[in-house]
Amino acid sequence: MARTTQDARTLTQIFETAKICGAENVLCNDTETGIVLAGSDANTLEPGTIANKRSRGELNIPFYKAGREPRYRLSDLIAYRNKHMRSVA
């Protein structure tokens, strides 16, 4: 089940943070993962969708546990999006 313990950043805020410390150092929760994979703050994938994809093995990206919440590295999300989600509209 998706857990959200902090407010999600917008797509702009996520990439601004990546400019400062690098995409490999930015961790995204399920809500932010949905924003990055959709490429938009308006048309986002729900946290439950991300959790379901992870549990079914469809989202094959390494994740880290921060407390009880899984987190993905932004660099892994971008690589996954470029490889598996050619067009998101």
Side-chain angles (χ1 to χ4, degrees), residues 1-64:
M1 172 178 243
R3 302 180 194 280
T4 304
T5 57
Q6 68 180 34
D7 293 334
R9 297 169 287 186
T10 65
L11 191 64
T12 304
Q13 291 170 329
I14 293 168
F15 281 98
E16 283 176 355
T17 305
K19 285 180 186 176
I20 296 168
C21 61
E24 63 280 352
N25 295 319
V26 177
L27 295 178
C28 297
N29 63 24
D30 285 340
T31 303
E32 295 166 346
T33 298
I35 290 170
V36 171
L37 292 181
S40 168
D41 293 325
N43 301 322
T44 182
L45 298 173
E46 293 295 322
T49 302
I50 299 301
N52 288 338
K53 285 179 174 289
R54 182 176 55 248
S55 67
R56 290 190 304 254
E58 296 173 11
L59 190 61
N60 191 17
I61 304 173
F63 63 91
Y64 307 93

Side-chain angles (χ1 to χ4, degrees), residues 48-89:
T49 302
I50 299 301
N52 288 338
K53 285 179 174 289
R54 182 176 55 248
S55 67
R56 290 190 304 254
E58 296 173 11
L59 190 61
N60 191 17
I61 304 173
F63 63 91
Y64 307 93
K65 284 283 192 168
R68 297 179 68 191
E69 188 175 21
R71 301 284 180 107
Y72 297 94
R73 288 188 339 187
L74 180 59
S75 57
D76 293 338
L77 291 174
I78 294 169
Y80 177 85
R81 184 172 185 264
N82 290 341
K83 185 175 180 182
H84 296 288
M85 304 178 80
R86 297 187 189 275
S87 64
V88 178

